[in-house]
Structures are given as C-alpha cells and as structure tokens.
Amino acid sequence: MPLSSQFSLSLELTKLIPCGPLATVVGRGFLNLLRELQTSGSDLVTEEDLAAILGRNRIDPRFESTFRTAINHSAIHRVADIAELMIEAGAGPTVRRSLKEPVYFSTVLQLSLLTYTHELTSLSKGLAQALERRARDASQAEPPPRYDALKGTLRACREQTSGFMWELFLAAVDEKIKHIVVCEKPPDTRAIPVSVLQALLDAFTAVQYLPEARLIHISSSDGAATVVVWAHHVLGLTVVVESSKGVVRFGDGPESVYFDCDPSSKSPDLRFRASLLNETNDLLFNIDKSFEDVTLDPVLRHPLRGYGLKRLDRSNKVVVPGIVHAVVTSCLAIGQEEIAKNFRGSEACGLGKSICPNPEKMVQVACILFPGYEHEITSIDPQADLPCLARSDWSIGALPAELACHVQERKIRVGSLRKEVLDLSRLTLILSMVDNIEACEGLSLDMYSFEGEEGYSALKQPQPGELAAKPRIEMPDARQAFETLAILLRGKDFPKVDDDIQRAAVISAWGWTICTGSVLANDPSELNPGIAATQGVPMRDGERKRLIVDTLVNYQDIHRTSAGEKLSLGNWSAAGSPGDHLALSTWTKSKKMRYFIAPSDSAFEVMKVYACHALSDPEVSWDLRIGFHEMQQLHWDTYHLFACEHTAKLEQVLTLPEDTWAFRGFTEPEFALDPAGTLPNPYLKCKDGSVHVGLVAGDVSARWILLHTRWNQDSRDNRLVHKRFLRGRDCCFDCAIRTVRNKRNGRHVGLIL
C-alpha cells in the first residue's frame, strides 16, 4: 500500500477526533496566551500543530494522575538582590494550559517523554522531517512546524515537566528486556528511528480508535524502551517484545504493539520498518528507513539519587560494594589531606576557590549516589587513617582482600575498576561542594558526559615526565567543580565551546539551575565558594533564558566621573605607617548598588554597579561595573582569612607593626625597594615583604572596587603584589594583620579590611 495511506488514515482520524480548543480563545486572552508562550521559548502555532496530532491519543488514567501530580506545581523565587530576575520552577505557561485542556495535556506528556530520551537538536530535526513528509504526501496546505519553533517548544516542555521521573519507568523496562534485546550500547533502546517515529504519529491513534487497526509491527530493537513506556505506560496499550532469545510481554490485553528485535535475521530490508496491520494482518501502511533519515541521538541521564549505581550498572555486581567502599575512603582520605595542608592552625587562610572538605557532606553525597549501601558508607570512620585507593598503583596486592579475591576469581580488568573509582571519587568530591545537596536528589545528570570524550575526565592530565598510567586525583577547586557540574547538567544538547559559558555565573538546563556564590551574596567576604542548585529556569518579566552572564564591557572605560569623564587611576594617600595607631574603619562613602539587565539570544546579561566617591574629590563618583562571573573570579583568586575566636568590630584600634602601611584610594601605591637617593612623588620607600592595607572596612562597594582595581597581579615590578588577602567580618583587626604578615614569604602582600 502506498505511503500516502498513512495520511489518508490521519484525515479519517481527524474527523473522528476533533481538536482545536484554540478557537475558543479570542481577544485579549489570545494575545496574553501568545505572549506568555513566546516569552517562555515556546510557540503557539507549533503547540497547536503538535496537539492536532499527539493530542488525539488517550492517556492511561492511572498514568495521567501520576504525571499530573508530579508537574502540577510551580515556585518562583528572586535571584539575590536583583528584584527583576527570578527562578521559575515547575509549571510554566505551556504546562499550565495543558492542565486545563486534555488535548494539550496529552501532547505535553508525550513530548516530555520524547525530550527526556532524545538529544534536543536531533529530535527537533527528526520530528520536523517526519512532519514535513507527512504534510507533503498528504498535499497539506499549511506548512508543518519549523525546526527552530519545534526546538523551542520541545525545550519548554522538557523544562516545565522536569519534576517527573521518567528514568524510573525507562530503567524498569530496560531491566526486563535487556536479556533479549541486543544493542551496541544500552542507550540505543532510548532513541527511536525517524521512520518508526513518523509511523507512530498516527498509528497509536489508529489502534486506540479504529477497530480495523489492530497491531503496530516494529522491526527494530532501537528505541524499544522508549516505545514500550510510550505505548504501555502512557497510552495503556499491550506491548510484546520478541527476539530469538525470548519474549517479554507488557500488559494483559490483546497485543497492540509488537517489537521484532531480530529483523535482520529474516531480511536486512526490514530493519527500522514500522507497519500498521488490521485484524487479519493485512497491511494498512508501512514506513521504511530512508538514507535521508535524520539520526536521533539518544540521551542517557539519571537523577542524582542512584547515579553512582547506574554508572556501575555494567560492572560485575559482586565488586560494587568494594568499589563503593573504595570511593568513600578515597574521598575521606583526600579530604583529610586537604584539611591538614590548608585548613588547620590559628592563622589558616585559603584561596576562595579552595573549599574546606566536609567529611559528613561526603558521606551524605555517597549515600545519595549509592542508595542501598548507606549502612556500609556510614560505618566508615571519617577520622580514621583511611587508604586512598584512588591514588594506589592498583596492583592486586594494593586492593582490599575481598575485592582482590573477586577480581582474580572473575578475571575482571583492574584498569576498568580503577577508572570507576577515580571518576566516582571525583564526582563525590565535586557534589560535596553543592550547598543544598539534600534537595537535589532529583537533579538529572548526563551519563555520556561522565563517561567519554564529550565531557570531563576524572584523570589528571599527566605532566611531562609523568606516567599516564599512574594518575593522581586531587581535591578539585570551586572553579573546576562548577565547570564540571555544568557539563554534566547540560549534556549533549549544547555545543562544547560556547562563548556565553565563559561569562556565565548561572547555567540552566533540563529544568534545573546551578549558580555560583556571587549570585547569592553581596559582600565579597560572604560569598560562598561552592555551588547552589535549584529546580527552575531564570526568568525576567515572563521571559526565560538558560544563562545569566556578564555584560561585555570595555574595561578601559569602566571608571568615570559623574560628568562622564574618565577618572585618573593614580590617586592614593597613606593613612598610616609602622607605629601609627589605626582604627578598623573606611575612608569611603558609598552609594546604593545599581544594576542593569539586557536579554541576548540565549542569556540575560547582567552588570552590577558599585559606586564610591573618589579620593581626590568627594563629589566625584567612582563606578565599578562588574558581572556575577567576574565577581566570582575575584573571590576565587583572593586569599580569605578564616574566622578568629575574638570579637571583630569596627573602630577597633591597632598599632601598625613593622613594614605595614595603610592606604586610602583604589590604586596600589607605587613603591621602590630601598632605593639609593631621593624618590620622586608619589613613590613609597619600603622593604621587600611589606604589608599594604586597604582601609575599607564595612563598605561593600569599596571592597569590590579595591578587589578589582588594586593588587591585581600587575606585571610591573614596582607594583607587583604577590598575594591579596580579604578580611571577613568575623576576623578581628589584630588577627588579620598577624596572619597576613606570617604569609608574606618575603614578598609584598595586600590586605583588604
């Protein structure tokens, strides 16, 4: 029967199942709906076109109730101190409309499944191709949905339904059919061939409504898990999956979908064919694979809870307890080493990108990654002298006795186990830097990016002269953690190189958002170096973007007077020298912080403006224009003084010790080291290893300006400061000076009060 039979069938189904609730929306309501959908990234016409096809399908009542409960919520909260920026989680305009209209609900539910199992770009191209063929062969007057409109609508559906756990259904199906379905990779059971997808657009409706349409016959193993969930769980149809290795049945009624997983054993031409048969097995229509077909790329993701076990799914089950134990003990041992090296002592301080390891947090993360092994994990003493298997040479003798025995008995490759421990140890360390990890069990991360070239490798790149066979895993810093988590969150949907990502402090994908501490705090000493994760998408006045980035600013022009004239950077004066009494205070007078927001194609571009009066003229404004990402970079590259046991309060008086000067102004004084002869103004005579103190205690704007403009590793020798330190509000004046003086190592250092 010719291909056009599918479209004749489609026309018949349209007469039986009328669609078109949009016709009831008129006037201002229509414009409001159009505006809401457009700002969310979706497209009204595309939603209507898809509803006219997918909206015909009846959803299984039990599944409908489960899905409706999972997505029928929404929450909006403000992004820090910027009132216009919000994070919207849950139901957006597309889902809210679907909750009131069964046709749209059916459409959104089915698209949610397809977007969870397929990479968004290839799914948009494949669906556009299928709809175009369908329209062309039916001589349809209206053009089918465009690729870009489809992609926006599909993304909106995916983000607004991210609260539903599709992985639970897909994993259960994979578990039942894995013994009879042979694929090159397990994710091949997720991606549906375009030929099959095109047929199912009408075939599912036919078997639900037309008595003469009895059976959908699919000759392919690709996409089996997705189609089973779609047909059986979502639509309530009975599905049979069969191969030479056995038969698996889903449902008790007469079979409506039959999967032949060995089509090539009968005829290579039958592979990727989808057919619709009547009650006497006569062919109503079939669609074969074409060499022009778009290849739909599978997506394999998993919620944080159980992510580690999913990673070990293909490992020998008997070695999983040993791997889990090795991961936890390795992380705790690395944490112990990091604490002993950088976070102990009364005068401890650390770079902002270095996060003090929290053993309890590591154990908590491990329990989320490896559910079912909580007892084994919590029984490990985090204070004990623990082995770090992630850093061992992985000889049989170095392995724990029980694990070594299993490896030898089953002839398991030690190299593959080493990679599991290295990767999962690094992931555990990274996730221990997420502040609210207990609320992130539903955060879905990509499995492909974890495993291969698409994402990061847990193995440290060997330096010249090092052996690649003996990688050394270190405690990742906050910058590495944010970049890695962004890769795992975004997955295959996004390009490897993205200019906006280099300026991003907030990244959103799959209905979840991660952000750096600069978004959540104002004072530089109160920024959290870790990562915050929350469900939702950045929004401003209903418009949604997936990134919040720094505005591209010409930094040569960022410091201007209130009259618009460029301000000289050469203003500074001494506020105190060795032996002088100095109060913990500030010379500045700040203005209220301002901000600017501008939308681009994919992001909200944000610039915060911190303003202080200039030293030379109290009436002249000194403005620092800076974005969240650069603020976080400044925090990460600054040494932070830890809290002391004393009371820290403003106006505390201290006598400046030897080689310590305090300054007013926002530029580093030019100095010379014991010069011969008289120095011209404004040079300062000092010894190597001096401490230069910026007197800006308690002034948030002045502290940011000083961080940005002063002691920023200037390349000129006479203005080079080796390290810059930032005092927190819980560190007293005396402890701050003493700690910084002990960290000089014969080099100039700067302290921002």
Side-chain angles (χ1 to χ4, degrees):
M1 187 170 285
L3 186 66
S4 59
S5 296
Q6 177 186 7
F7 308 107
S8 301
L9 175 65
S10 177
L11 292 175
E12 184 177 351
L13 291 170
T14 302
K15 297 175 184 177
L16 289 173
I17 315 157
C19 294
L22 182 61
T24 63
V25 183
V26 294
R28 184 172 297 276
F30 175 80
L31 292 177
N32 289 338
L33 174 61
L34 180 64
R35 185 177 294 109
E36 283 188 349
L37 292 176
Q38 189 175 35
T39 55
S40 73
S42 188
D43 179 78
L44 179 60
V45 175
T46 301
E47 287 194 11
E48 290 300 311
D49 289 341
L50 293 173
I53 300 171
L54 296 175
R56 304 170 300 181
N57 296 339
R58 291 192 301 254
I59 305 300
D60 179 81
R62 291 175 299 177
F63 195 89
E64 177 183 349
S65 176
T66 302
F67 189 79
R68 186 180 293 273
T69 301
I71 66 171
N72 189 17
H73 73 280
S74 61
I76 298 177
H77 54 272
R78 189 162 60 97
V79 175
D81 54 357
I82 297 185
E84 296 177 47
L85 286 178
M86 307 286 180
I87 299 291
E88 183 187 51
T94 298
V95 166
R96 286 196 295 268
R97 181 166 72 136
S98 75
L99 293 172
K100 302 174 184 177
E101 296 283 353
V103 169
Y104 296 123
F105 184 85
S106 175
T107 304
V108 167
L109 192 157
Q110 294 171 81
L111 291 178
S112 176
L113 170 62
L114 293 176
T115 56
Y116 184 84
T117 53
H118 297 84
E119 185 268 325
L120 200 62
T121 298
S122 68
L123 176 61
S124 304
K125 292 179 179 178
L127 190 55
Q129 185 181 62
L131 293 172
E132 181 182 1
R133 290 173 176 173
R134 186 175 177 274
R136 182 182 64 235
D137 290 296
S139 300
Q140 180 177 319
E142 299 83 7
R146 307 182 318 275
Y147 158 75
D148 55 345
L150 272 172
K151 189 172 183 179
T153 299
L154 293 175
R155 178 179 279 121
C157 286
R158 187 177 71 182
E159 291 175 343
Q160 295 175 35
T161 60
S162 62
F164 189 75
M165 304 290 282
W166 285 111
E167 187 59 36
L168 298 178
F169 295 89
L170 291 161
V173 171
D174 272 330
E175 184 66 25
K176 291 189 70 173
I177 67 175
K178 67 180 183 181
H179 300 297
I180 67 168
V181 175
V182 180
C183 295
E184 295 178 6
K185 297 178 181 178
D188 286 349
T189 63
R190 304 293 175 93
I192 305 173
V194 165
S195 55
V196 176
L197 177 62
Q198 180 181 341
L200 295 181
L201 293 177
D202 292 299
F204 278 147
T205 312
V207 297
Q208 283 191 323
Y209 287 94
L210 299 179
E212 65 271 20
R214 188 186 71 83
L215 181 67
I216 301 170
H217 188 286
I218 299 174
S219 301
S220 173
S221 59
D222 287 7
T226 301
V227 174
V228 168
V229 172
W230 190 356
H232 175 63
H233 292 286
V234 174
L235 302 180
L237 303 175
T238 298
V239 182
V240 173
V241 182
E242 183 175 3
S243 75
S244 57
K245 297 184 178 182
V247 180
V248 177
R249 188 180 186 88
F250 297 87
D252 300 324
E255 62 190 68
S256 299
V257 181
Y258 175 79
F259 253 101
D260 180 3
C261 294
D262 288 332
S264 58
S265 64
K266 304 177 181 69
S267 171
D269 296 334
L270 294 177
R271 197 176 180 204
F272 305 123
R273 168 179 287 185
S275 308
L276 181 64
L277 308 176
N278 65 13
E279 66 275 8
T280 58
N281 287 331
D282 294 326
L283 183 66
L284 297 179
F285 77 82
N286 66 265
I287 298 179
D288 292 311
K289 181 181 180 180
S290 167
F291 71 92
E292 298 175 343
D293 284 356
V294 172
T295 300
L296 299 190
D297 295 327
V299 168
L300 183 61
R301 299 180 71 87
H302 200 280
L304 214 55
R305 181 165 184 80
Y307 187 89
L309 292 182
K310 183 66 176 180
R311 178 73 172 87
L312 298 174
D313 195 34
R314 294 189 295 280
S315 299
N316 196 310
K317 297 296 184 183
V318 298
V319 302
V320 171
I323 293 177
V324 172
H325 188 273
V327 168
V328 178
T329 55
S330 295
C331 290
L332 293 173
I334 292 170
Q336 289 174 355
E337 179 186 277
E338 184 74 8
I339 292 173
K341 184 169 59 176
N342 296 319
F343 294 93
R344 281 203 181 129
S346 59
E347 297 179 352
C349 64
L351 272 173
K353 64 181 181 180
S354 299
I355 299 179
C356 183
N358 184 330
E360 290 75 18
K361 191 73 169 289
M362 295 179 187
V363 169
Q364 182 185 16
V365 169
C367 289
I368 294 173
L369 293 176
F370 307 106
Y373 293 88
E374 291 87 352
H375 176 73
E376 292 85 345
I377 293 171
T378 55
S379 63
I380 300 172
D381 182 4
Q383 305 303 324
D385 185 14
L386 298 170
C388 185
L389 197 59
R391 290 178 174 171
S392 75
D393 59 6
W394 279 85
S395 62
I396 290 295
L399 300 181
E402 185 177 0
L403 182 58
C405 181
H406 289 314
V407 168
Q408 287 179 314
E409 285 179 357
R410 290 164 174 79
K411 298 180 180 179
I412 300 171
R413 291 178 58 237
V414 175
S416 63
L417 293 185
R418 178 179 64 178
K419 187 178 189 309
E420 307 286 10
V421 172
L422 283 166
D423 286 353
L424 289 169
S425 296
R426 181 173 172 85
L427 180 63
T428 303
L429 293 172
I430 286 171
L431 291 175
S432 69
M433 301 179 188
V434 177
D435 299 332
N436 53 333
I437 192 66
E438 65 282 349
C440 299
E441 292 189 7
L443 171 61
S444 173
L445 298 181
D446 188 61
M447 298 294 294
Y448 278 148
S449 298
F450 188 92
E451 294 179 351
E453 297 176 355
E454 298 291 335
Y456 74 90
S457 169
L459 307 183
K460 177 187 175 184
Q461 292 296 323
Q463 300 299 318
E466 293 183 2
L467 292 177
K470 294 185 178 181
R472 178 176 175 83
I473 183 172
E474 304 289 352
M475 186 76 188
D477 61 38
R479 181 185 285 113
Q480 294 168 337
F482 182 73
E483 292 172 352
T484 301
L485 195 56
I487 292 173
L488 291 171
L489 175 64
R490 287 158 63 89
K492 297 174 66 178
D493 278 356
F494 299 86
K496 296 181 183 179
V497 179
D498 190 332
D499 292 339
D500 281 344
I501 289 296
Q502 307 304 316
R503 300 182 285 133
V506 176
I507 297 175
S508 178
W510 292 82
W512 281 80
T513 294
I514 60 171
C515 60
T516 60
S518 59
V519 179
L520 307 174
N522 198 17
D523 190 285
S525 65
E526 295 178 353
L527 259 66
N528 192 322
I531 306 165
T534 185
Q535 199 166 4
V537 181
M539 178 184 71
R540 180 194 183 215
D541 297 332
E543 184 177 14
R544 290 156 183 81
K545 301 289 184 182
R546 280 79 198 170
L547 299 169
I548 297 179
V549 303
D550 293 0
T551 301
L552 288 173
V553 178
N554 184 347
Y555 287 106
Q556 294 179 347
D557 296 328
I558 63 173
H559 308 291
R560 293 186 177 276
T561 66
S562 57
E565 298 175 355
K566 190 173 177 181
L567 188 67
S568 170
L569 296 177
N571 297 312
W572 62 270
S573 68
S577 57
D580 290 346
H581 298 291
L582 187 70
L584 185 63
S585 59
T586 182
W587 62 271
T588 59
K589 183 180 180 181
S590 296
K591 299 181 179 181
K592 184 179 180 180
M593 186 272 295
R594 313 188 307 276
Y595 57 86
F596 299 97
I597 305 173
S600 64
D601 290 342
S602 61
F604 291 119
E605 296 192 353
V606 176
M607 179 175 66
K608 300 179 77 171
V609 181
Y610 291 99
C612 281
H613 68 77
L615 180 64
S616 57
D617 185 351
E619 301 301 319
V620 175
S621 174
W622 182 304
D623 290 353
L624 170 63
R625 299 168 186 170
I626 191 170
F628 289 128
H629 181 75
E630 189 183 3
M631 291 167 67
Q632 193 68 49
Q633 293 287 344
L634 291 173
H635 179 276
W636 282 339
D637 294 335
T638 299
Y639 286 86
H640 295 259
L641 303 181
F642 299 156
C644 68
E645 58 187 11
H646 310 112
T647 302
K649 57 184 178 181
L650 294 177
E651 303 304 327
Q652 177 185 1
V653 178
L654 177 74
T655 301
L656 293 178
E658 182 183 4
D659 301 329
T660 303
W661 282 264
F663 297 99
R664 303 181 185 91
F666 293 126
T667 56
E668 167 65 9
E670 295 182 291
F671 55 86
L673 307 178
D674 291 332
T678 304
L679 281 174
N681 239 5
Y683 276 79
L684 176 74
K685 181 178 179 179
C686 61
K687 295 180 180 179
D688 200 356
S690 298
V691 177
H692 293 179
V693 180
L695 200 61
V696 289
D699 191 321
V700 171
S701 294
R703 284 156 72 83
W704 277 118
I705 294 173
L706 201 55
L707 268 177
H708 185 269
T709 60
R710 193 172 180 182
W711 305 322
N712 210 358
Q713 296 296 332
D714 197 301
S715 60
R716 288 173 290 174
D717 290 340
N718 66 331
R719 294 185 61 185
L720 181 63
V721 172
H722 180 51
K723 294 179 181 178
R724 63 183 178 203
F725 295 82
L726 180 67
R727 183 192 70 88
R729 295 182 180 182
D730 48 7
C731 180
C732 72
F733 198 2
D734 183 61
C735 288
I737 294 291
R738 185 172 62 252
T739 299
V740 172
R741 283 177 55 80
N742 291 337
K743 301 292 182 180
R744 290 176 294 173
N745 297 324
R747 303 285 297 277
H748 279 72
V749 295
L751 169 62
I752 299 174
L753 293 179

